[in-house]
């Protein structure tokens, strides 16, 4: 198939058409964090009172989580960026497979369901394109708290043994600092009897955000954001009014890289700098000047030079920004080595960047990127949420037109990305045909 034929076929799919190499200017607004908002919504299962959360991003994943919680009997109303959740009358403890399968964060609801009802039956989340993504740590933690957990025919059933009214607090040591497992176990322990500790806990800001909400609801959690979290179980939690989700650090990092790759001075806000310290360091190392003020970051790119990156759990360089950063390194002077250590299959954007003229050699999950003067526009497809974002960045920088397919991935994690980029001068248009 010739490229021309491929491009005419791909034009038929919904895509973003981007005319590249235009400078951007102005301010890019960052929405609330997807990977926090989703989990905060499941925390509403822990009380019969109303939980109100603001700064909720407008994403398909949020709509998906709303549907899942409603299938359990939670009343969910959304007004603008505010969402109100009341789990007074839960009618089910088994979210439907077809909803859970597409939304990994919904599996985390097994923790609060077990903590609140003493029973939960949640479909095993499928792996996805980036890796197997097991939930062994989640299950081990729930078993340590006294639950009986069985996995059968794709369903995870967790229950309390006869006569046990509540989970029993204990010491839990995670084999790996899994974000989801830390969140699942945290939500299970807040109503458990007695004290629990989670060792080797994930330190991500989203974990801290969840602990802050739970404490506002009456939980007694200390140490979130460190590798040991301590929880004193309480009898019940109450609702809360107007908890605001933290800004999305991955969206902020993506937009800072959009400025760098188009050599544009841009302000990105709001940003919590300490949520992105490893990324800010890499942006400085590759030649960008960053001015941090009280609500955001202004980036002024210099001559881009290659730097190496290895993805790590927080506070290391986040895996969710590995693909966007590779787009940036594709046009930096010199050779960069980018290693993906979190997921076993998160290099699918390499082939798409090569189609745009990037010079990348892949050795397993390590990419050796030789910077080229510029990329050439082409029809490309994003294979997951962050790979799609990487292709948008590459298109913004490339000579000519790029058509980015894979919008169903992009819309899961970036709230109205084309409107935001249009607002700072990008030549980008969505074709939803
Ligand atoms: C969260 O996924 C995020 N998703 C991911 O964001 C993010 O990439 C990931 O954390 C790492 O930061 C949400 O929060 C909804 P993990 P999660 O459990 O919790 C292994 C995006 O693009 N692992 O920390 O599923 C696992 O295989 C998404 O926004 C086990 O081995 O991530 C992976 O290699 C993608 N056993 C690593 O840990 C387990 O029991 C990180 O997984 C659990 C995980």
């Amino acid at each position: 198939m010739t490229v021309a034929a491929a491009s005419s076929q791909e034009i038929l799919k919904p895509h973003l058409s981007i005319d590249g190499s235009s400078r951007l200017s102005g301010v890019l607004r960052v929405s609330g964090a997807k990977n926090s908002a989703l989990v905060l919504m499941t925390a509403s299962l822990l009380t019969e009172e109303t939980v109100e959360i603001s700064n909720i991003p407008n994403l398909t994943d949020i709509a998906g989580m709303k549907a899942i919680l409603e299938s359990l009997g939670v009343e969910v109303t959304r007004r603008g960026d505010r969402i109100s959740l009341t789990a007074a009358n839960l009618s089910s403890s088994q979210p439907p497979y077809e909803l859970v399968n597409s939304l990994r964060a919904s599996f985390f609801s097994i923790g609060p369901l077990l903590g609140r009802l003493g029973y939960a039956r949640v479909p095993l989340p499928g792996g996805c394109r980036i890796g197997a993504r097991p939930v062994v740590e989640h299950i081990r933690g729930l078993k340590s708290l006294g639950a009986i957990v069985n996995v059968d025919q794709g369903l995870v059933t967790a229950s309390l043994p006869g006569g046990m009214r509540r989970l029993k607090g204990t010491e839990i040591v995670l084999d790996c600092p899994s974000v989801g497992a830390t969140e699942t176990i945290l939500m299970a322990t807040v109503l458990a009897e007695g004290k629990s500790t989670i060792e080797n806990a994930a330190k991500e800001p989203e974990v801290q955000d969840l602990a802050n909400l739970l404490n506002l609801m009456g939980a007694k959690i200390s140490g979130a954001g460190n590798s040991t979290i301590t929880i004193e179980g309480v009898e019940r939690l109450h609702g809360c009014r107007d908890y605001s989700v933290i800004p999305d650090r991955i969206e902020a990092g993506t937009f800072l890289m959009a400025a760098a790759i188009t050599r544009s001075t841009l302000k990105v806000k709001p940003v919590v700098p300490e949520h992105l310290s490893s990324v800010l360091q890499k942006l400085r190392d590759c030649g960008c000047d960053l001015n941090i003020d009280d609500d955001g970051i202004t980036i002024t790119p210099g001559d881009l030079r290659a730097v190496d990156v290895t993805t790590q759990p927080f506070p290391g360089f986040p895996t969710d920004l590995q693909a966007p950063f590779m787009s940036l390194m594709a046009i930096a002077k010199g050779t960069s080595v980018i290693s993906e250590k979190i997921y076993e299959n998160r290099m699918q954007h390499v082939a798409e960047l090569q189609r745009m003229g990037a010079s990348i050699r892949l050795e397993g999950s390590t990419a050796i990127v030789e910077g080229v003067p510029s990329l050439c526009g082409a029809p490309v497809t994003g294979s997951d949420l962050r790979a799609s974002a990487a292709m948008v960045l590459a298109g913004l920088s490339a000579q000519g037109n790029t058509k980015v397919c894979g919008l169903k991935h992009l819309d899961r994690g970036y709230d109205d990305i084309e409107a935001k980029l249009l607002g700072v001068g990008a030549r980008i248009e969505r074709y939803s045909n």
Side-chain angles (χ1 to χ4, degrees):
M1 183 190 301
T2 63
V3 172
S7 61
S8 64
Q9 266 184 331
E10 285 166 34
I11 291 170
L12 296 180
K13 292 181 200 162
H15 64 274
L16 290 178
S17 176
I18 303 169
D19 290 323
S21 64
S22 57
R23 282 276 192 287
L24 310 179
S25 66
V27 181
L28 266 173
R29 184 182 56 81
V30 177
S31 299
K34 161 184 92 91
N35 289 345
S36 183
L38 291 170
V39 180
L40 297 183
M41 289 170 72
T42 63
S44 66
L45 292 164
L46 286 162
T47 176
E48 68 283 357
E49 296 183 16
T50 299
V51 174
E52 291 185 352
I53 307 169
S54 58
N55 200 29
I56 295 278
N58 187 22
L59 302 168
T60 52
D61 271 8
I62 297 292
M65 183 60 83
K66 178 173 182 289
I68 288 167
L69 293 172
E70 285 171 333
S71 75
L72 298 173
V74 183
E75 283 173 51
V76 187
T77 50
R78 174 158 194 171
R79 283 184 210 85
D81 81 342
R82 304 169 73 86
I83 203 160
S84 173
L85 309 108
T86 310
N89 309 301
L90 290 178
S91 54
S92 161
S93 54
Q94 179 174 339
Y97 167 77
E98 66 279 2
L99 293 176
V100 170
N101 188 43
S102 62
L103 185 51
R104 181 176 176 81
S106 57
F107 179 75
F108 307 167
S109 62
I110 194 168
L113 283 170
L114 185 62
R116 169 94 184 277
L117 301 177
Y119 180 80
R121 195 161 203 206
V122 184
L124 205 51
C128 60
R129 296 164 181 267
I130 61 178
R133 303 187 77 179
V135 287
V136 170
E137 295 301 300
H138 303 242
I139 292 171
R140 274 185 57 236
L142 297 178
K143 284 182 173 175
S144 307
L145 291 163
I148 299 166
V149 186
N150 292 310
V151 183
D152 186 32
Q153 295 175 350
L155 273 177
V156 181
T157 306
S159 59
L160 298 185
M164 196 170 155
R165 198 173 60 81
R166 294 163 74 185
L167 291 170
K168 196 147 181 53
T170 186
E171 279 189 22
I172 294 159
V173 183
L174 295 181
D175 283 351
C176 68
S178 156
V179 175
T182 303
E183 293 167 338
T184 298
I185 296 164
L186 194 53
M187 291 191 282
T189 57
V190 290
L191 294 175
E193 185 183 340
K195 177 179 173 181
S196 300
T197 55
I198 307 172
E199 305 278 348
N200 196 20
K203 305 177 199 170
E204 272 69 5
E206 292 76 26
V207 172
Q208 299 173 58
D209 212 22
L210 174 62
N212 290 337
L213 170 64
L214 292 170
N215 281 340
L216 209 55
M217 294 165 65
K220 291 189 177 125
I221 302 166
S222 55
N226 302 309
S227 51
T228 300
I229 303 177
T230 303
I231 307 100
E232 292 291 344
V234 294
E235 283 283 341
R236 60 184 295 281
L237 293 186
H238 51 75
C240 85
R241 299 182 61 75
D242 196 17
Y243 183 82
S244 182
V245 181
I246 53 173
D248 194 315
R249 61 194 172 100
I250 304 302
E251 186 186 24
T254 306
F255 287 155
L256 287 168
M257 292 175 196
I261 204 169
T262 55
R263 291 172 171 66
S264 310
T265 295
L266 268 183
K267 179 162 188 178
V268 176
K269 72 172 197 177
V271 181
V272 179
E274 52 271 20
H275 289 175
L276 271 178
S277 44
S278 57
V279 176
L280 301 182
Q281 188 54 56
K282 289 297 176 184
L283 287 171
R284 288 192 185 96
D285 292 350
C286 74
C288 298
D289 181 52
L290 301 176
N291 177 31
I292 298 175
D293 61 31
D294 55 358
D295 70 346
I297 296 178
T298 300
I299 179 169
T300 305
D303 282 343
L304 288 176
R305 51 183 181 271
V307 293
D308 297 345
V309 156
T310 299
T311 63
Q312 297 290 344
F314 191 86
F317 192 95
T319 173
D320 295 346
L321 283 171
Q322 179 259 107
F325 193 74
M326 191 183 294
S327 293
L328 182 59
M329 289 298 101
I331 59 158
K333 281 198 190 74
T335 303
S336 57
V337 178
I338 298 179
S339 303
E340 173 58 54
K341 298 289 184 191
I342 303 295
Y343 291 108
E344 59 270 34
N345 189 26
R346 201 172 203 179
M347 285 288 179
Q348 294 161 71
H349 46 285
V350 168
E352 297 304 291
L353 286 171
Q354 287 168 334
R355 282 162 55 89
M356 297 181 72
S359 171
I360 305 172
R361 193 173 81 251
L362 199 49
E363 291 172 3
S365 282
T366 296
I368 295 94
V369 185
E370 297 283 347
V372 295
S374 71
L375 297 173
C376 309
V380 289
T381 299
S383 52
D384 74 78
L385 163 54
R386 308 304 174 181
S388 301
M391 302 328 299
V392 171
L393 261 55
L396 289 172
S397 153
Q399 305 286 338
N401 178 265
T402 299
K403 290 176 175 47
V404 181
C405 294
L407 300 191
K408 67 177 177 5
H409 298 302
L410 200 62
D411 293 340
R412 294 188 52 191
Y414 290 92
D415 183 352
D416 212 358
I417 191 167
E418 70 265 24
K420 290 178 179 176
L421 290 173
L422 271 170
V424 291
R427 291 176 292 171
I428 183 169
E429 190 170 354
R430 178 180 289 244
Y431 290 83
S432 303
N433 48 346

